[in-house]
Amino acid sequence: MDLIPRRRDGAAAPALRRTRAVAAAAAVVTVAAGLGLRAAATGSTAKYGGDALYTVLLLTLVVLVAPRLTPLRAAGTALAASWAVEFLQLTAVPADLSRHSVVARLVLGSTFNAPDLFWYVVGAAAGCLLHTALAPSVAAGGSHPARRPHPVNRAESSDSSPSADTSPRPAGPSREVRHAPRRR
């Protein structure tokens, strides 16, 4: 099963491929930053910096799987997953798994720590800002769905001058707001 959406002519959508490639590269950079932080720093800097990077990594994985999500939704999804893992630590399951596996210890942790919840928010916010900055913009010729202008219904448009924008618009429902005429 191909996870990359295809256009009608069968070609993979280039913007989605680019988004996934950037997300994959960001995931690798985030893991390297987390390992570097653990090697270079100690104490609360390493712990809470790692918590923030954990959520950034989850955000990159969310974008890798669902590249059409807006940066805010991707960050919200990553934050929810981070919090879910942290609250799971209130049970004995992560601690039991962590005793048997290094990977489980890195992914699930072992004990609940309330301040971690704040640092997950910091990571989600930083990741959201980075995702917003790196997402292709319409002005730059990109086609990120979160920044694509809504199509205009040309049949109802009163501007029929030759200078009107005649570029093709993506198919889909129009989101223009229609107001009923005011009654006096």
Side-chain angles (χ1 to χ4, degrees), residues 38-174:
R38 285 198 86 127
T42 59
S44 60
T45 302
K47 168 136 181 49
Y48 296 125
D51 289 343
L53 287 172
Y54 179 82
T55 304
V56 172
L57 176 62
L58 288 180
L59 190 146
T60 63
L61 297 176
V62 166
V63 173
L64 191 62
V65 171
R68 292 179 186 255
L69 286 180
T70 64
L72 188 59
R73 286 181 188 229
T77 302
L79 179 61
S82 297
W83 280 358
V85 169
E86 189 68 28
F87 284 117
L88 181 66
Q89 292 171 0
L90 290 170
T91 70
V93 174
D96 290 341
L97 292 174
S98 294
R99 280 193 292 269
H100 301 293
S101 168
V102 173
V103 174
R105 187 172 55 241
L106 290 173
V107 173
L108 299 176
S110 59
T111 55
F112 178 81
N113 186 21
D116 290 353
L117 299 173
F118 169 75
W119 291 101
Y120 295 144
V121 173
V122 170
C128 184
L129 291 173
L130 282 171
H131 182 29
T132 301
L134 294 175
S137 67
V138 173
S143 61
H144 192 284
R147 296 187 178 179
R148 183 178 299 139
H150 296 294
V152 176
N153 187 348
R154 301 216 186 277
E156 296 178 6
S157 176
S158 61
D159 184 10
S160 60
S161 66
S163 65
D165 179 21
T166 58
S167 61
R169 301 280 185 207
S174 174

